[in-house]
Amino acid sequence: MTSDRSALSRDRRRVELREFLRSRRARVSPADVGMPDGGRRRTPGLRREEVAVLAGVGVSWYTWLEQGRDIKVSEEVLDAIARVLLLDPTEHVHLYLLAGLNPPQFASAPSVPAPPQVRRLLDAWSPRPGYIRDRHWNFTDINEAARIVFGYGDSDHNCLVSFFTNVRYRVLQRHWADTAPDVVAGFRADAARYPEDPEFDRIAEELARSSPEFAELWDCHDVAEHTSAVKAVDHPEAGTLVFDATLLPLPELPGHHLILHNPRPGTDTQERLEELMGTHSLVVPHPG
């Protein structure tokens, strides 16, 4: 069973590596790397042989790498390829993970409710919105304020799935379309940390069947890391609410994160939230 899982892990990484390299190569033009345009091209981006020359590797070797063949790679070569393909730091790490070179191994915890002390923290944060998600982005704990402000219901079990399929959530989010690519890129980056875990593929495949928007973004193979964000909500009762969202890892539950939302300074969100929560019998503590 272990050997089967290892083989599945290698095969999955090779497929991901192939598609990732192709997608990154397609977005880099010759001009981006100081090369003459060379006229009209049938496909966008650099050719394989151009990447190989610029990275200082053989054309056949780079072709084999992009085809996902079982070949040996070095850190130096991956660094050169990352430089040619103009990868940002998160994409650079992603390339290492897919190539199987010194990938950070994150021990994971099963999806379980938060321990009492974390639950108390989440309760104390209420009525400001907050929730906890596991490594698959399943909700494990969510406070009532998050349900009221963001429109989560009893059927919402996974943060990613709700983002694309919860109609009420989508309507409330002022910048949904602009945020969607970063959300998908964050999920793909998390999936790369656990190459032996098929649950990420299952979630993505099922969601792609029900959401063409997700399917299109998933095929882009973008990756991103986010520890903070600004979330704007057009709430039917409270009007515009703007929050600073902070993602905090839970060391006692590897793979789990606590996501807390705080009214953004310089807006009237605090006052609007205070009024909204008052109508739902929740009292908002004033800062300080």
Side-chain angles (χ1 to χ4, degrees), residues 40-80:
R40 190 172 181 179
R41 297 183 173 223
R42 289 183 298 175
T43 57
L46 296 176
R47 299 186 178 97
R48 285 176 176 171
E49 56 266 32
E50 292 170 338
V51 175
V53 170
L54 291 170
V57 298
V59 175
S60 295
W61 185 93
Y62 178 78
T63 299
W64 294 337
L65 177 68
E66 193 170 286
Q67 289 174 343
R69 295 197 190 184
D70 188 13
I71 59 176
K72 290 185 178 182
V73 296
S74 67
E75 296 177 357
E76 292 78 9
V77 168
L78 286 186
D79 290 342

Side-chain angles (χ1 to χ4, degrees), residues 251-267:
E252 66 271 40
L253 292 175
H256 290 59
H257 288 83
L258 173 66
I259 295 90
L260 300 176
H261 301 80
N262 206 29
R264 188 165 179 80
T267 71

Side-chain angles (χ1 to χ4, degrees), residues 140-151:
T140 64
D141 290 280
I142 181 169
N143 68 15
E144 189 63 19
R147 297 185 186 277
I148 294 170
V149 171
F150 300 131

Side-chain angles (χ1 to χ4, degrees), residues 94-223:
H94 191 64
L95 177 62
Y96 266 60
L97 290 170
L98 295 181
L101 264 187
N102 299 321
Q105 298 297 319
F106 295 86
S108 61
S111 181
V112 296
Q117 66 272 23
V118 179
R119 181 69 242 187
R120 287 194 295 269
L121 173 62
L122 188 60
D123 289 341
W125 193 256
S126 184
R128 287 164 292 184
Y131 52 84
I132 299 169
R133 74 184 191 200
D134 66 11
R135 66 170 171 173
H136 302 122
W137 293 29
N138 295 315
F139 293 117
T140 64
D141 290 280
I142 181 169
N143 68 15
E144 189 63 19
R147 297 185 186 277
I148 294 170
V149 171
F150 300 131
Y152 292 130
D154 293 338
S155 61
D156 291 293
H157 303 295
N158 182 280
C159 186
L160 178 71
V161 174
S162 293
F163 185 91
F164 282 92
T165 64
N166 181 327
V167 176
R168 176 172 167 79
Y169 178 91
R170 290 184 56 160
V171 169
L172 291 176
Q173 299 301 310
R174 170 169 288 192
H175 305 297
W176 187 93
D178 294 333
T179 305
D182 287 339
V183 170
V184 176
F187 186 76
R188 184 177 286 281
D190 280 356
R193 291 186 170 90
Y194 307 99
E196 295 184 1
D197 188 342
E199 181 66 7
F200 289 97
D201 286 338
R202 186 197 68 78
I203 292 171
E205 289 168 3
E206 288 191 2
L207 185 54
R209 286 194 290 270
S210 61
S211 172
E213 294 154 310
F214 171 80
E216 181 178 354
L217 291 171
W218 188 248
D219 284 343
C220 292
H221 290 267
D222 290 336
V223 290

Side-chain angles (χ1 to χ4, degrees), residues 127 238 241 263 268-280 282-287:
L241 303 172
D268 60 356
T269 298
Q270 176 71 25
E271 292 74 17
R272 290 176 179 271
L273 181 64
E274 192 170 300
E275 183 177 353
L276 174 65
M277 295 299 102
T279 64
H280 292 270
L282 294 174
V283 180
V284 177
H286 285 282

